[in-house]
Amino acid sequence: MRILVANVNTTQSMTDSIAAQARAAAAPGTEIIGITPRFGADSCEGNFESYLAAIAVMDAVVNYPEPFDAVIQAGYGEHGREGLQELLDVPVVDITEAAASTAMFLGHKYSVVTTLDRAVPLIEDRLKLAGLEARCASVRASGMAVLELEEYPERAVEAIVGQAEQAVRNDKAEVIVLGCGGMAGLDEQIRQRTGVPVVDGVAAAVTIAESLVRLGLSTSKVRTYATPRPKTVIGWPITPANQPAAR
């Protein structure tokens, strides 16, 4: 089984970190391929960058030259999952939905700890769109920018732990969700400090994608995520009307 894990930004070191976390969660026999968009921002922390990333990830995925069995979109709260589902005939799993849905098996309420405060409304909107907001106690910002997670790892852990502790104490969260693909690999440290389950979206998405592939399931194509209708597309970096099946 081959799973593409698509970073939503253009920072290669973050792609490498995300792919490493995915490989640690993958079952034997699952090949993880990390891919980095060929254009876009070096981090995604707002609507413009998120919409740009949506196009960039679609471009990167449909132009991947080898067969694959599933795709993981590794940006928390980012746009674009729906477009990938239209373009592909394999499962597409977004880490936002994977992490939140997994957290709901582990406690009554979960809280998301993300990067900057400006990302909070985007995450809240994505959770609402996915029907996952009812069990969300809060979405909290650590105050750390995406690229600072790699640059200042010790500060990042302290900032995330501080918000996670407040979520448990003040918001009555019973599970913490890491609200950024760049936080991959921090789950165990934060669990030890908070005493509650901590869900990393990349790891959760890998196990869900593997399960869907093994069950022989993929996106319904009869209506919402039907393949795009053939039409003339001008100035677009991808050509969905001519894209063959990914298998």
Side-chain angles (χ1 to χ4, degrees):
M1 182 189 309
R2 176 181 289 161
I3 299 176
L4 302 187
V5 180
N7 184 9
V8 297
N9 64 50
T10 56
T11 300
Q12 183 61 42
S13 61
M14 194 161 291
T15 302
D16 296 340
S17 175
I18 290 168
Q21 180 70 356
R23 291 186 186 105
T30 297
E31 181 184 10
I32 299 293
I33 305 292
I35 59 174
T36 305
R38 63 186 177 89
F39 61 90
D42 58 359
S43 65
C44 294
E45 294 162 322
N47 281 287
F48 164 70
E49 293 153 1
S50 179
Y51 281 111
L52 179 61
I55 301 172
V57 168
M58 285 187 280
D59 170 70
V61 170
V62 300
N63 285 301
Y64 183 76
E66 301 294 331
F68 52 89
D69 300 290
V71 174
I72 292 171
Q73 180 172 289
Y76 207 96
E78 308 302 338
H79 301 89
R81 183 263 298 163
E82 298 90 343
L84 282 173
Q85 286 183 297
E86 289 188 5
L87 291 169
L88 304 175
D89 68 348
V90 300
V92 177
V93 181
D94 171 68
I95 67 168
T96 313
E97 298 167 11
S101 60
T102 299
M104 290 165 58
F105 287 105
L106 305 174
H108 179 63
K109 290 270 189 176
Y110 68 90
S111 283
V112 179
V113 180
T114 188
T115 51
L116 300 180
D117 183 65
R118 66 176 295 160
V120 170
L122 278 73
I123 292 172
E124 291 174 336
D125 286 350
R126 296 301 292 177
L127 292 173
K128 185 174 183 179
L129 182 64
L132 297 166
E133 85 286 0
R135 301 268 296 276
C136 182
S138 59
V139 180
R140 287 179 164 270
S142 67
M144 300 290 293
V146 171
L147 297 182
E148 289 179 328
L149 298 174
E150 286 190 333
E151 189 175 359
Y152 307 108
E154 293 183 0
R155 266 178 52 192
V157 169
E158 291 303 316
I160 296 165
V161 166
Q163 291 301 316
E165 289 175 334
Q166 290 189 52
V168 173
R169 181 173 58 250
N170 301 330
D171 306 333
K172 308 305 180 186
E174 298 174 7
V175 184
I176 297 298
V177 168
L178 301 181
C180 175
M183 294 178 181
L186 299 182
D187 49 330
E188 182 58 25
Q189 296 179 67
I190 297 164
R191 185 194 65 78
Q192 291 178 0
R193 296 279 297 274
T194 61
V196 301
V198 178
V199 180
D200 168 60
V202 173
V206 168
T207 59
I208 291 171
E210 288 178 326
S211 296
L212 292 172
V213 173
R214 290 194 182 100
L215 290 168
L217 297 173
S218 191
T219 308
S220 174
K221 308 297 284 186
V222 299
R223 191 183 186 196
T224 308
Y225 304 117
T227 302
R229 296 179 61 197
K231 59 185 66 178
T232 301
V233 180
I234 298 174
W236 190 263
I238 57 177
T239 53
N242 301 320
Q243 180 63 29
R247 288 192 187 278

